[in-house]
Amino acid sequence: MVASNGSKGGLKGLAATVGTLFVVVCCVIVFVVSGMWSGVSDLANRIAPGYGGNGTTDVNAVPDAMRGTDATGRSLRSVLDELASTPTTGSMTPQQTESLRQALDKLDSQAAGDPAEATKTESLRQRLRSILDQQQAKQSVGKADTADDAPKYADVYGGDWSLAIADLDSLKIMKAKPQGYDRDKRFLSSWGDAEIEGCDAKQNKATTRDLVLRRDLKDTKLDKYCRVVSGKLDDPYTGRTIDFTRGKHSADVQIDHRVSLVEAWALGADEWTDEQRNRFANDPAELVASDGTANMEKSGGFDFDAKSDPVWLPSNKAYVCPYLASRVSVKKTYGLGVTEAEKAQTERELQSCIAG
């Protein structure tokens, strides 16, 4: 059958209308999707420059650890989506912070066992750690101490000690083996080189010590070599305030390893390479600025001969919970073990933190 001219015109008109509608629908879809993707990509770029940003608009380009799921089954992508849908990323929920923390834990764990991966993700991990420090400080305000004028101590779990206990339960129970420990030979005796944010001196002499001082002290001042020369420390171990000045009294403020090097050696680090041990010894997440005298009294911070309560605790009660929780986080990140006595003490204390 041959179609009439009238029917042909009708078909052409219908086809044109359908085509126009199709184009409009496609444009709307592209606009909506691109807008959503742009928001996620922009956030990814701000959180992790070089991974899903810098014009690539590829959030899936981030490392596997960033695309994994946390303990609650939530993917980091879900966290990014949630944050991208809000007007500002200045504040994160405790759940979002925990998801980001677990992604960082995975990245740190990968880096600890693979030098190439460590180099590849170093800037990313530093950026994530900076974001987490800010968020955890916000979320822990008012949880460490009830006094209005008392210093507030941030912790990696945002004050949710049940999360720390869950991580504690995942750690391998071991018998400590401190034999063969040699700090200088196994962990190296000097601090590593570091870059201080905002300081671009031509001759940079900053070390990990300066990086931690800059983070933990208030009102810090730098010299022309990016070294911290003064500041004020609200000491977490004693609760007192210390005025720090670089020079003959530098030792008034020392940098402490929450999990001491000898303890790390005795509970798993003896099987690491020297490079891995040096990386652990210079990890800011494991370090804290503290009162020099208290740090010397703490020493190794672990009594290997004790049948109960082997872990040293700070005299400042407001810091006991964050201190023990941070030790759990460090051990989980690096795959270190715990002794039975250590686990019992840590769990008991953290349960007390929950009970208040």
Side-chain angles (χ1 to χ4, degrees):
M1 179 181 294
V2 179
S4 66
N5 290 334
S7 62
K8 286 182 178 180
L11 289 173
K12 287 181 179 180
L14 178 60
T17 301
V18 171
T20 300
L21 289 173
F22 178 78
V23 171
V24 171
V25 170
C26 288
C27 288
V28 171
I29 292 175
V30 169
F31 177 80
V32 172
V33 172
S34 64
M36 292 174 62
W37 184 259
S38 176
V40 175
S41 176
D42 178 61
L43 180 66
N45 185 34
R46 278 178 282 153
I47 289 181
Y51 293 91
N54 296 335
T56 65
T57 63
D58 184 8
V59 175
N60 291 321
V62 299
D64 288 342
M66 298 284 283
R67 289 189 277 116
T69 58
D70 62 19
T72 63
R74 301 174 72 253
S75 67
L76 182 64
R77 176 60 183 275
S78 297
V79 177
L80 292 176
D81 288 341
E82 288 178 15
L83 294 178
S85 66
T86 61
T88 176
T89 59
S91 297
M92 297 166 63
T93 66
Q95 189 177 34
Q96 289 169 338
T97 304
E98 173 61 11
S99 295
L100 205 55
R101 183 193 69 79
Q102 291 189 21
L104 178 58
D105 283 349
K106 291 180 182 179
L107 285 171
D108 283 338
S109 181
Q110 291 172 2
D114 186 344
E117 185 70 13
T119 300
K120 176 183 176 183
T121 63
E122 182 176 4
S123 61
L124 169 62
R125 288 182 290 117
Q126 288 180 350
R127 177 59 177 153
L128 290 179
R129 188 167 289 113
S130 175
I131 292 173
L132 285 174
D133 286 344
Q134 295 173 18
Q135 295 300 325
Q136 289 154 6
K138 291 179 181 179
Q139 294 169 9
S140 64
V141 171
K143 295 180 180 179
D145 203 296
T146 55
D148 291 338
D149 57 349
K152 305 298 186 292
Y153 303 108
D155 71 276
V156 295
Y157 297 98
D160 190 342
W161 313 121
S162 61
L163 293 175
I165 292 176
D167 280 353
L168 175 66
D169 288 337
S170 71
L171 301 181
K172 180 180 180 180
I173 295 179
M174 302 173 57
K175 182 178 181 180
K177 299 179 296 182
Q179 298 81 6
Y181 169 74
D182 187 311
R183 180 189 178 102
D184 292 347
K185 291 182 179 180
R186 298 302 186 183
F187 287 91
L188 304 185
S189 58
S190 60
W191 292 117
D193 297 331
E195 293 186 5
I196 305 297
E197 185 175 355
C199 186
D200 55 356
K202 293 182 179 179
Q203 189 176 3
N204 179 22
K205 294 185 179 181
T207 67
T208 305
R209 172 180 167 82
D210 295 294
L211 190 66
V212 176
L213 289 174
R214 179 72 160 181
R215 181 196 67 191
D216 292 355
L217 273 61
K218 299 184 297 185
D219 303 325
T220 55
K221 294 183 179 180
L222 306 178
D223 64 11
K224 63 181 181 179
Y225 302 114
C226 295
R227 298 175 301 189
V228 176
V229 294
S230 66
K232 189 182 297 291
L233 173 68
D234 289 328
D235 177 46
Y237 286 172
T238 63
R240 72 188 189 92
T241 299
I242 303 172
D243 290 318
F244 167 76
T245 302
R246 185 184 180 93
K248 64 179 182 179
H249 295 296
S250 290
D252 288 351
V253 174
Q254 299 180 13
I255 307 301
D256 182 44
H257 293 86
R258 292 182 177 93
V259 176
S260 68
L261 301 185
V262 63
E263 181 185 349
W265 170 270
L267 291 166
D270 61 323
E271 298 181 356
W272 298 350
T273 65
D274 288 344
E275 183 178 357
Q276 289 172 321
R277 285 190 285 265
N278 186 45
R279 190 180 306 129
F280 173 83
N282 281 276
D283 185 352
E286 143 78 339
L287 302 169
V288 61
S290 62
D291 173 81
T293 301
N295 184 39
M296 296 301 292
E297 291 176 352
K298 174 195 173 187
S299 188
F302 197 97
D303 187 349
F304 295 108
D305 297 321
K307 295 183 179 179
S308 63
D309 295 358
V311 181
W312 173 90
L313 296 179
S315 60
N316 179 19
K317 300 302 182 183
Y319 191 63
V320 170
C321 301
Y323 173 73
L324 288 174
S326 66
R327 283 174 45 85
V328 171
S329 178
V330 167
K331 290 201 168 187
K332 180 176 181 180
T333 296
Y334 284 91
L336 294 171
V338 291
T339 66
E340 290 187 359
E342 174 192 1
K343 181 176 181 180
Q345 177 189 7
T346 302
E347 184 170 6
R348 185 188 71 242
E349 292 290 345
L350 288 177
Q351 289 289 2
S352 297
C353 297
I354 293 174

